[in-house]
Structure formats: structure tokens, C-alpha cells
């Protein structure tokens, strides 16, 4: 099925084009002999069979007949091809060169990796070029990932369910155990490595009862199998752990990180895991967060908490990925001073420098929780002496749950380009998370996956673009949204002009449209509690989770200013602090995230807040109707199954958007008593 193949379609190439590409696939020369290189060769074989109906011979490098040669720079005899031996000097361990050369009047394409991972990435790059119909006659490409860690987090549970999963059940767990069906896992590994991912955690960050056992002999033999599949694609495996494991699994009375028995217990546990998986990556930890145990129970801080694990992992080169999603989820809504947005910064900046050097702090992009729009986390940039990842959410928990189309690459791009001013002007998030600003040992990007066992992986087929875009952007944050989008469309749907134009239009506008019909001006939430789909303006307003909008008959918004509010704005570096703190300079789209204003407050756009709410909510639904029209125009031009899948989702999205529009507009009309100046129907 086309929808299953996602962006690895390898569609049949016809006519003249076929000739252009066929000549490269008579024989493949393989200079390096590793599992990862084998994966690369296999991928070429599949692709050649599928695109050209040709099975290339596989030979050693030197054969004259070969036209594609794969190997590391140590194995390929570069001089024989007129190339300098320091060709790969300036690329990192995962980098590569793709080069078309003339050898004894015969053309050849060299895929030269710095290591075998580079060979694999070069292979996917070459196949991408063919699928997008690029010429191979004169290639000279040098590329390497800009981020060291490019990670995906599965929030999958052993019972097969997926926390915040919107595409069926887990591909990793069936019948309350780790799956033996490694075919699908392998196809996932192919998808991930084709977009440059190199790390995966395979279980939910919320490690409850049964999940705690994942680091025991009950599951480790099967974790090992999964690790083997990923290893062949250059992807290292990680596990989420329960901080109370020493108590639950070890029958100790405490999980206090400073207790010697606890320290020893972790050391033994880690040694046991490495017996099964010698290149195990390490632990992902959600501690003292949303009712999960952690070091606070013992009066210890998070550095103590993480370091006990880091000590144990150190001898094996393992790392601890410690999440900063730490806040009080039992706060008193009547206390306007407690601001959830402040929490991560308040917890972690005082202990900057206390973490061992194999600990990485994983920081969500915003201080709240993956809203369609919120401020950028001020913790990103504030830690000078601690390794850090940014965490993004590919799964669309708050952005339509893969029923609604919401292409997030534009959002991530904005986040990565955000200037923190941490080291003066131009200290962008992308340069903090790639480790260059603070010269970190470890750095990178992690994100919550959006896949499940639905045949098309992501429920909504257009949501495949989010996973693709996440990978490409993480590989190289300097790629433009337009480049990534075009690439994905070409790979998934081909190059029919109308298809490209309409899908580009839908994707590039979808985030804005989703924002238009949901919670306004950065205030966030207003979703149904629990499952988080659909509108419920006051659903969380008087609850303990700390996610408020403070709407009354006079105005709306969260006052996070220094003078009259929670003081959150002061967590940013001065330039940003001033921009957000002042009503004059705060950008419209974040106004209600930072300020509480009357409904009649006039935005930079010239509209009042209330009129903006009405306008965007009416417009959001109209824009969606336009998407639907553009999609329907593609009937017959794209795969029928994909066409119907998206059509059906659009139907659900339209219902959802109307519900949002009507509830939001009605709510604010009743609260404010101010009517729409265009006299549209509000209930
Ligand atoms: C929130 C989700 C919750 C996760 C939590 C987390 O609603 O299911 O467990 O984040 O990141 O977005 O730990």
C-alpha cells in the first residue's frame, strides 16, 4: 500500500527517465562490510527493483562494472578516483560525500561515509534524488547532521496502547509483551534512518506498574531483539525508567539517590542491561512530574537524582536524558502567583553545573505543554554548564490529534530560529541545542513520535509530513519549511503540478488555520480535560493543573509581567524580557500568554481583542473549507486510499472547527457583551 510506504515510495520510473537511472544499477560495489552497510545495500536493491525492475549485482569495490560504490573513506581507494584522502576531514562522524566520478571513461557514483552510518545516510540521499528526478550525472554533495542526537520518543505502553497516540496501537507491544513481529519495526527503522534519526526510546515516559519491569529479564531479551533491528539502521535504543525501581524491583526501602544501596542497585541493573545490549544508549527519566516518583521524595534535588543513574551508566558510555517537565500539578487555582510556566526554569537554573557530564536535560519547547502557540521556554539558553535537548511533540496532542491537519514544521522552524540573546544577539535556539553555543558534550533534539500500527502509520496520511519534517529539520535546521515540504510531497505523491500546489497550500497554512479556530492569541488550552480534543473553554479553568486563561466580563489573559503578574517574563534574557513584558512590544500572537487585557484592547493589527477572536474563528472555518475544496480537486490525481483517508479526516476536522468556532465565539460574546462588528451569527 502506498500509504504504508510513506516517503519511501520507490515508484516505478517510466520512459526516458528509466534509461537515465538504469545505467547506475547494473552492479553495486561494496567496500565496507558492516551490518549498517548491508542495510544500505538492501535499500538500494529494493529501490532498484521497485523503481526500475532491476536487481543489481553486488560486488566488491574494484570491479570495473560497478557504477555505485559504497564504503567509508578508509575503505574506498579515494586516490584511484582522483579524490583527496582528506575529502571528509571537515565532516563529523555521521557525514558523507556523494560524488560522480569518471573512472577509465566509466562514470561511477561514490557514496563515501565517514563511518558506515554516513554510507547509509548517503544512500537515502541518493535514493531521494532519484525519486525527486534529479540528475545524477555530476553530483558533488557533502553533508552531515547539524545535531548530534536526533531522537524519537515512543510513548508506548506494554499493553499496546500509546499515550497521546492517534494512529492505532503500538507497533512495539502486542499481547502485553514486546512484539516478535520485527518486520514492521524494521520498516519503522528504515523510515527513521532515511530522515537521519539516530536514537529512539521505546517506552512511555510515564513508567507505571508493569512498565517498570522493562529493565528486567522479563523483557530484556526482547528489548535486545528490537535493539538489533535498530542497530542495523544506525539507531541506538533507550528505555524510560521508573525512578522508584530500586523499591519496586529491588525490594529496597528507598530510592534515595544518595543511599549507597540504591547506588549499587543501579550499577548492577545497568551492568545487566549492557549484557543484553552492549551499545544500549541509556535512560529517559520523567521524575517528580505528574505524580511520578523522583528525588524530591527524599529531599534531594534533580542533579542528585540524575547523577546516581549517570554514575552507573558512565562505564558503558551510557547517558541519562532527564526531562525538565517538572511542575506542581496540584496547585491552587485561586493563587494567581503560582505560574506553571515558571516551574522548569525555577527548578533547574539553580542547579546548572551540578549534573555529571553524561546527563542531558530534555526541555520542552514551551514552558507549558505543546500548545498550538506559547512562549519559548526560557530555560533554553539559561543553562550554561549542562547538556540539553529540546523536546518537540510530533504527535498532535493539542494540535488536532491527527484528525485535524496541522503541519508543524513552520512552528518548529520558528522555535529553532528564536533568538534567546543568551550570548548576545543571534543566540538562536538551534545553536543552543546543537551544542555550539555552550560547547556541550551532548546535545540535540528529541520529539514524541506520532506513529502507531495504523496501516498509514500516522492515522491522517498528511501527518506523515510532520514526522518527515521533524527528521529533516533535526538533521539540518537551516533547511527552509518550503524545501522540506516540497521534498515530502515529491517523495510521497510525485510531481504533478496541481497535486504539489494544493498540498503545499494546505500544509503551509494548516497551523495558522488550526490556531485561528482554537484558543486565541497564545493563551492556549480551552480543550476538553483528559483527552485534549475539541473545545471546552473552562474545562481546566478551575482545576489544579495550572493552565488558566482568567477570562471574566472585563478581559482575558495571563498576567506574566514583572510589575503586576507572575514575573515569568523576567526569566528571559533582557531583550526578550522587555519585549514580552511590555504591552507595546509584545507580539499579537502571544499577547494573552503574557498579558491580561480588556476585550477592547487594540492589537498591533488594529483589531480589538474581541473582534480578533470573532474574526479568526469565522475565518478558520472558511479556510478549512478551502482546504477541503483543494483536496477534493485532487480526486483521481493521487492514490485512492490516501485520498479517501484525508477526505474523511477533513470531514471530522470541519465538525471540530465549527464546534470550536461556535463555543469560543459564544463564550466571549456572552462574557463581554460586545457584538461582532460584522454581525455574523453568534449564539
Ligand atoms: C503531556 C501529556 C502527558 C504526558 C506529559 C509528559 O498530556 O500525557 O505524560 O505531557 O510530557 O503533554 O510527560
Amino acid at each position: 500500500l502506498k500509504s504504508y510506504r510513506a516517503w519511501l515510495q520507490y515508484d516505478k520510473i517510466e520512459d526516458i527517465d528509466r534509461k537515465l537511472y538504469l545505467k547506475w544499477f547494473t552492479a553495486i560495489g561494496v567496500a565496507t562490510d558492516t551490518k549498517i552497510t548491508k542495510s544500505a545495500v538492501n535499500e538500494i536493491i529494493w529501490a532498484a527493483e521497485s523503481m526500475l525492475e532491476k536487481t543489481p549485482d553486488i560486488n566488491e569495490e574494484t570491479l570495473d562494472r560497478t557504477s555505485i560504490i559504497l564504503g567509508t573513506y578508509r575503505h574506498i581507494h579515494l586516490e584511484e578516483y582522483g579524490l583527496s584522502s582528506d575529502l571528509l576531514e571537515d565532516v563529523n562522524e555521521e557525514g558523507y560525500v556523494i560524488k560522480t566520478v569518471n573512472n577509465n571513461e566509466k562514470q561511477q557514483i561514490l557514496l563515501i561515509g565517514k563511518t558506515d552510518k554516513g554510507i547509509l545516510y548517503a544512500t537515502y540521499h541518493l535514493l531521494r534524488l532519484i525519486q525527486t528526478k534529479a540528475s545524477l550525472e555530476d553530483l558533488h554533495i557533502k553533508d552531515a547532521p547539524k545535531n548530534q542526537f536526533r531522537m524519537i520518543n515512543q510513548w508506548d505502553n506494554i499493553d499496546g496502547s500509546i499515550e497521546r497516540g492517534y494512529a492505532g496501537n503500538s507497533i512495539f507491544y502486542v499481547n502485553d509483551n514486546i512484539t516478535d513481529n520485527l518486520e514492521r519495526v524494521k520498516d519503522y527503522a528504515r523510515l527513521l534512518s532515511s530522515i537521519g534519526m539516530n536514537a529512539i526510546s521505546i517506552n512511555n515516559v510515564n513508567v507505571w506498574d508493569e512498565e517498570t519491569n522493562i529493565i528486567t529479564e522479563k523483557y530484556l531479551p526482547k528489548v535486545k531483539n528490537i535493539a538489533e533491528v535498530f542497530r542495523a539502521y544506525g539507531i541506538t535504543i533507550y528505555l524510560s525508567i521508573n525512578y522508584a525501581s530500586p523499591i519496586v524491583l529491588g525490594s529496597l526501602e528507598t530510592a534515595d539517590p544518595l543511599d549507597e544501596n540504591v547506588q549499587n542497585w543501579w550499577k548492577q541493573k545497568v551492568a545487566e542491561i549492557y549484557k543484553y545490549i552492549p551499545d544500549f544508549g541509556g535512560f529517559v527519566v520523567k521524575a517528580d512530574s505528574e505524580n511520578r516518583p523522583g528525588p524530591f521524595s527524599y529531599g534531594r534535588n534533580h542533579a542528585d537524582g540524575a547523577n546516581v543513574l549517570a554514575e552507573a551508566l558512565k562505564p558503558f558510555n551510557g547517558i541519562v536524558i532527564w526531562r525538565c517537565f517538572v511542575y506542581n500539578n496540584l496547585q491552587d487555582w485561586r493563587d494567581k502567583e503560582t505560574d506553571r510556566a515558571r516551574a522548569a526554569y525555577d527548578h533547574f537554573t539553580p542547579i546548572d553545573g551540578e549534573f555529571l557530564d553524561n546527563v542531558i536535560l530534555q526541555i520542552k519547547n514551551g514552558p507549558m505543554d505543546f500548545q498550538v502557540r506559547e512562549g519559548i521556554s526560557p530555560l533554553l539558553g539559561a543553562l550554561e554548564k549542562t547538556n540539553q535537548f529540546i523536546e518537540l511533540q510530533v504527535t498532535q496532542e493539542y494540535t488536532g490529534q491527527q484528525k485535524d491537519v496541522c503541519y508543524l514544521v513552520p512552528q518548529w522552524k520558528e522555535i529553532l530560529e528564536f533568538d534567546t540573546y543568551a550570548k548576545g544577539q543571534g543566540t538562536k535556539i538551534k545553536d543552543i541545542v546543537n551544542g555550539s553555543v555552550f560547547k556541550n558534550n551532548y546535545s540535540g533534539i528529541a520529539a514524541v513520535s506520532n506513529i502507531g500500527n495504523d496501516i498509514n502509520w500516522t492515522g491522517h496520511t498528511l501527518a506523515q509530513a510532520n514526522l518527515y519534517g521533524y527528521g529533516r529539520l533535526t538533521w539540518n535546521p537551516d533547511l527552509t519549511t518550503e524545501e522540506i515540504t516540497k521534498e515530502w510531497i515529491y517523495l510521497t505523491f510525485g510531481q504533478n503540478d496541481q497535486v504539489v500546489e494544493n498540498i503545499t497550500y494546505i500544509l503551509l497554512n494548516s497551523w495558522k488555520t488550526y490556531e485561528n479556530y482554537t484558543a486565541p492569541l497564545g493563551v492556549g488550552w480551552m480543550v476538553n480535560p483528559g483527552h485534549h480534543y475539541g473545545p471546552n473553554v473552562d474545562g481546566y479553568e478551575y482545576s489544579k493543573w495550572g493552565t488558566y486563561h482568567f477570562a471574566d466580563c472585563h478581559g482575558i489573559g495571563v498576567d506574566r509581567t514583572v510589575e503586576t503578574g507572575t514575573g515569568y517574563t523576567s526569566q528571559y534574557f533582557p531583550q526578550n524580557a522587555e519585549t514580552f513584558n511590555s504591552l507595546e512590544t509584545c507580539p499579537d500572537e502571544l499577547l494573552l500568554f503574557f498579558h491580561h487585557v480588556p476585550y477592547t484592547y487594540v492589537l498591533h493589527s488594529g483589531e480589538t481583542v474581541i473582534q480578533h477572536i470573532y474574526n479568526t474563528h469565522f475565518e478558520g472555518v472558511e479556510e478549512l473549507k478551502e482546504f477541503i475544496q483543494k483536496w477534493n480537486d485532487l480526486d483521481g490525481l493521487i492514490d485512492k486510499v490516501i485520498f479517501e483517508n484525508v477526505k474523511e479526516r477533513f470531514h471530522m476536522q470541519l465538525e471540530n472547527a465549527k464546534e470550536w468556532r461556535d463555543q469560543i465565539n459564544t463564550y466571549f460574546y456572552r462574557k463581554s457583551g460586545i457584538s461582532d462588528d460584522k454581525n455574523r451569527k453568534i449564539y
Side-chain angles (χ1 to χ4, degrees):
L1 245 99
K2 285 188 81 66
S3 62
Y4 181 81
R5 290 181 165 213
W7 53 85
L8 299 177
Q9 292 289 330
Y10 304 137
D11 273 335
K12 196 166 161 212
I13 299 174
E14 317 269 0
D15 312 329
I16 317 170
D17 287 337
R18 181 162 191 272
K19 277 210 196 89
L20 286 176
Y21 294 113
L22 191 63
K23 64 173 185 189
W24 300 104
F25 289 92
T26 25
I28 312 289
V30 188
T32 296
D33 181 19
T34 66
K35 284 229 166 84
I36 291 179
T37 315
K38 280 211 180 72
S39 300
V41 173
N42 285 338
E43 195 72 29
I44 294 182
I45 296 175
W46 284 324
E49 286 175 348
S50 167
M51 294 190 293
L52 303 159
E53 292 173 333
K54 164 89 194 159
T55 309
D57 295 336
I58 307 300
N59 295 307
E60 311 241 312
E61 177 203 349
T62 42
L63 273 194
D64 269 353
R65 275 189 338 109
T66 55
S67 15
I68 296 177
I69 293 165
L70 305 81
T72 69
Y73 75 107
R74 290 175 197 278
H75 296 127
I76 293 185
H77 302 110
L78 294 176
E79 316 77 50
E80 284 178 23
Y81 302 96
L83 300 173
S84 144
S85 57
D86 58 11
L87 182 67
L88 277 89
E89 197 108 295
D90 56 345
V91 304
N92 61 39
E93 287 301 292
E94 296 174 288
Y96 58 83
V97 165
I98 302 178
K99 176 109 181 109
T100 314
V101 291
N102 286 307
N103 187 26
N104 299 330
E105 317 218 328
K106 188 180 178 339
Q107 275 186 308
Q108 294 174 312
I109 295 173
L110 306 181
L111 304 177
I112 318 163
K114 186 84 172 246
T115 63
D116 56 356
K117 277 198 201 180
I119 302 173
L120 185 60
Y121 297 141
T123 300
Y124 281 117
H125 193 146
L126 178 73
L127 295 174
R128 197 156 68 224
L129 291 174
I130 300 173
Q131 290 185 91
T132 52
K133 306 258 168 70
S135 161
L136 309 183
E137 304 298 316
D138 195 18
L139 297 174
H140 188 112
I141 296 166
K142 191 183 271 197
D143 203 4
K146 297 237 160 85
N147 287 291
Q148 180 192 9
F149 278 85
R150 304 175 303 279
M151 185 163 196
I152 201 87
N153 297 153
Q154 299 299 136
W155 282 2
D156 298 26
N157 302 311
I158 290 176
D159 68 4
S161 63
I162 302 176
E163 177 139 353
R164 312 307 177 188
Y166 310 106
N169 283 328
S170 173
I171 66 162
F172 291 94
Y173 307 93
V174 278
N175 302 328
D176 296 308
N177 207 334
I178 296 176
T179 184
D180 293 317
N181 173 7
L182 299 178
E183 269 313 298
R184 181 118 200 204
V185 174
K186 179 172 156 187
D187 283 336
Y188 188 39
R190 290 173 54 225
L191 287 173
L192 291 180
S193 103
S194 73
I195 51 172
M197 293 284 113
N198 65 1
I200 186 169
S201 60
I202 60 159
N203 63 318
N204 191 359
V205 288
N206 292 312
V207 186
W208 298 98
D209 314 319
E210 186 56 25
E211 275 70 24
T212 307
N213 296 308
I214 197 143
I215 52 171
T216 68
E217 60 189 3
K218 181 165 180 197
Y219 294 108
L220 282 171
K222 291 196 180 207
V223 176
K224 178 184 169 187
N225 298 339
I226 303 278
E228 263 160 28
V229 174
F230 281 108
R231 182 181 303 122
Y233 286 88
I235 300 168
T236 306
I237 205 167
Y238 292 73
L239 293 173
S240 302
I241 54 121
N242 178 345
Y243 201 78
S245 294
I247 303 172
V248 182
L249 303 175
S251 324
L252 300 189
E253 263 155 33
T254 175
D256 180 355
L258 299 194
D259 181 293
E260 210 180 315
N261 292 329
V262 171
Q263 294 167 351
N264 287 331
W265 187 86
W266 279 115
K267 283 186 183 145
Q268 279 170 26
K269 179 46 73 186
V270 166
E272 182 191 345
I273 297 172
Y274 277 88
K275 275 200 197 116
Y276 290 93
I277 308 157
D279 59 349
F280 179 64
F283 295 142
V284 175
V285 196
K286 171 173 178 176
D288 292 315
S289 167
E290 301 185 332
N291 312 315
R292 303 312 304 129
F296 285 166
S297 315
Y298 311 99
R300 313 296 182 195
N301 70 25
H302 278 228
D304 299 326
N307 289 346
V308 60
L309 305 172
E311 284 281 5
L313 286 157
K314 186 105 203 158
F316 304 93
N317 293 321
I319 59 172
V320 179
I321 301 169
W322 191 269
R323 297 178 81 237
C324 295
F325 189 56
V326 178
Y327 68 98
N328 177 8
N329 64 320
L330 299 172
Q331 74 183 55
D332 188 340
W333 55 270
R334 285 156 300 197
D335 177 6
K336 285 202 180 186
E337 252 72 89
T338 29
D339 180 2
R340 170 165 163 184
R342 293 191 56 123
Y345 183 101
D346 285 342
H347 281 301
F348 287 93
T349 48
I351 50 175
D352 184 20
E354 292 179 25
F355 292 89
L356 292 179
D357 63 6
N358 60 331
V359 177
I360 299 165
L361 295 185
Q362 180 161 310
I363 305 165
K364 286 193 182 184
N365 64 265
M368 295 299 281
D369 195 11
F370 300 132
Q371 299 304 292
V372 66
R373 173 91 60 180
E374 60 178 289
I376 307 283
S377 171
L379 187 55
L380 291 159
L383 300 166
E384 303 220 352
K385 291 173 256 161
T386 310
N387 302 314
Q388 54 199 291
F389 283 177
I390 190 174
E391 177 180 317
L392 305 172
Q393 197 181 43
V394 185
T395 195
Q396 292 171 239
E397 176 177 3
Y398 296 98
T399 49
Q401 305 198 350
Q402 286 142 248
K403 291 192 181 89
D404 301 25
V405 59
C406 187
Y407 180 52
L408 292 165
V409 171
Q411 185 200 53
W412 300 330
K413 190 76 190 163
E414 250 183 55
I415 293 165
L416 293 167
E417 293 293 331
F418 179 78
D419 192 348
T420 64
Y421 290 89
K423 290 273 169 199
Q425 193 172 8
T427 320
K428 297 185 173 183
I429 298 278
K430 66 179 177 187
D431 298 318
I432 291 165
V433 302
N434 75 16
S436 61
V437 172
F438 297 116
K439 309 279 172 280
N440 302 109
N441 261 354
Y442 297 113
S443 57
I445 306 186
V448 187
S449 175
N450 65 347
I451 70 109
N453 69 355
D454 275 5
I455 191 69
N456 68 354
W457 300 93
T458 51
H460 196 310
T461 308
L462 294 181
Q464 290 178 355
N466 281 328
L467 186 58
Y468 184 83
Y470 166 67
R472 296 291 288 134
L473 204 56
T474 302
W475 177 276
N476 181 6
D478 297 329
L479 292 173
T480 65
T481 299
E482 289 71 22
E483 283 170 316
I484 294 172
T485 311
K486 191 167 135 188
E487 217 177 71
W488 179 77
I489 296 172
Y490 278 14
L491 294 173
T492 310
F493 295 100
Q495 301 189 21
N496 175 294
D497 285 342
Q498 200 184 355
V499 172
V500 175
E501 192 187 311
N502 289 15
I503 299 181
T504 304
Y505 182 90
I506 292 168
L507 290 178
L508 294 188
N509 291 290
S510 59
W511 175 40
K512 188 77 205 137
T513 292
Y514 187 81
E515 182 175 19
N516 280 346
Y517 63 75
T518 55
L521 297 166
V523 76
W525 309 97
M526 300 188 178
V527 289
N528 281 304
H531 64 73
H532 299 163
Y533 188 76
N536 187 339
V537 184
D538 284 335
Y540 275 123
E541 196 55 17
Y542 307 103
S543 84
K544 295 172 188 255
W545 293 89
T547 57
Y548 312 123
H549 56 65
F550 297 106
D552 59 17
C553 65
H554 307 293
I556 175 177
V558 192
D559 186 351
R560 295 193 158 109
T561 64
V562 174
E563 295 76 15
T564 51
T566 69
Y568 164 81
T569 54
S570 69
Q571 294 184 339
Y572 291 95
F573 288 91
Q575 288 84 344
N576 286 330
E578 277 162 35
T579 304
F580 295 136
N581 197 63
S582 144
L583 263 176
E584 260 99 81
T585 49
C586 183
D588 283 352
E589 68 271 16
L590 285 169
L591 183 73
L592 304 181
F593 186 82
F594 287 105
H595 297 274
H596 186 88
V597 295
Y599 294 111
T600 50
Y601 181 80
V602 180
L603 299 167
H604 299 297
S605 70
E607 289 167 345
T608 59
V609 165
I610 188 72
Q611 194 55 44
H612 172 92
I613 293 176
Y614 296 149
N615 287 348
T616 49
H617 285 77
F618 284 115
E619 282 159 16
V621 174
E622 295 316 305
E623 287 157 9
L624 184 57
K625 289 183 186 160
E626 218 179 314
F627 295 171
I628 295 174
Q629 185 53 53
K630 286 193 187 292
W631 185 259
N632 288 340
D633 287 346
L634 303 183
D635 195 2
L637 297 177
I638 59 171
D639 176 72
K640 197 73 193 156
V641 177
I642 296 179
F643 177 78
E644 291 300 334
N645 163 267
V646 172
K647 189 175 168 182
E648 183 208 328
R649 304 266 153 168
F650 268 136
H651 189 74
M652 297 190 258
Q653 181 172 6
L654 187 59
E655 290 307 300
N656 188 40
K658 284 182 186 164
E659 202 186 341
W660 271 98
R661 175 195 65 193
D662 295 342
Q663 286 204 26
I664 297 279
N665 283 345
T666 301
Y667 179 96
F668 288 105
Y669 171 59
R670 290 192 191 161
K671 280 260 150 143
S672 69
I674 302 170
S675 30
D676 170 32
D677 66 13
K678 296 197 178 69
N679 279 322
R680 286 162 293 196
K681 189 167 175 191
I682 298 176
Y683 300 88

